[in-house]
Amino acid sequence: MAKAVDKIRNTTDAELTHQERDLQDQVFRLKFQIAMGQTESLKKVRQLRKDIARVKTIKRERALAGEKK
């Protein structure tokens, strides 16, 4: 997990925004598939939501660091 966080920290703000949008799109598609009965991958949805939270946390840390400067 630490490697995933380091990987996220080494990305630019634009890449973080794109990654967040992509993750949210994946969650939407999985939820739609679950509703249609095509899949039961709740583990994947949980993991994607955690990844979104990580991205948002890094973005917030950068925003706060920018305010302090």
Side-chain angles (χ1 to χ4, degrees):
M1 179 174 12
K3 290 182 182 180
V5 174
D6 290 338
K7 183 179 174 185
I8 293 171
R9 287 186 195 280
N10 292 329
T11 59
T12 64
D13 291 339
E15 290 172 336
L16 281 178
T17 302
H18 178 68
Q19 186 176 8
E20 180 183 358
R21 194 174 309 128
D22 185 47
L23 289 169
Q24 288 175 341
D25 187 47
Q26 288 180 37
V27 168
F28 174 77
R29 281 188 262 122
L30 276 175
K31 284 184 176 182
F32 189 82
Q33 289 176 354
I34 290 170
M36 297 299 290
Q38 295 176 349
T39 185
E40 295 181 10
S41 59
L42 291 176
K43 288 176 114 175
K44 182 69 176 168
V45 173
R46 288 185 190 124
Q47 184 61 44
L48 287 171
R49 290 180 67 203
K50 287 179 183 180
D51 290 342
I52 292 169
R54 285 186 190 102
V55 169
K56 286 183 176 185
T57 299
I58 301 299
K59 286 173 70 174
R60 180 68 178 150
E61 286 174 354
R62 289 182 183 178
L64 291 176
E67 289 177 5
K68 290 181 181 179
K69 290 183 180 181

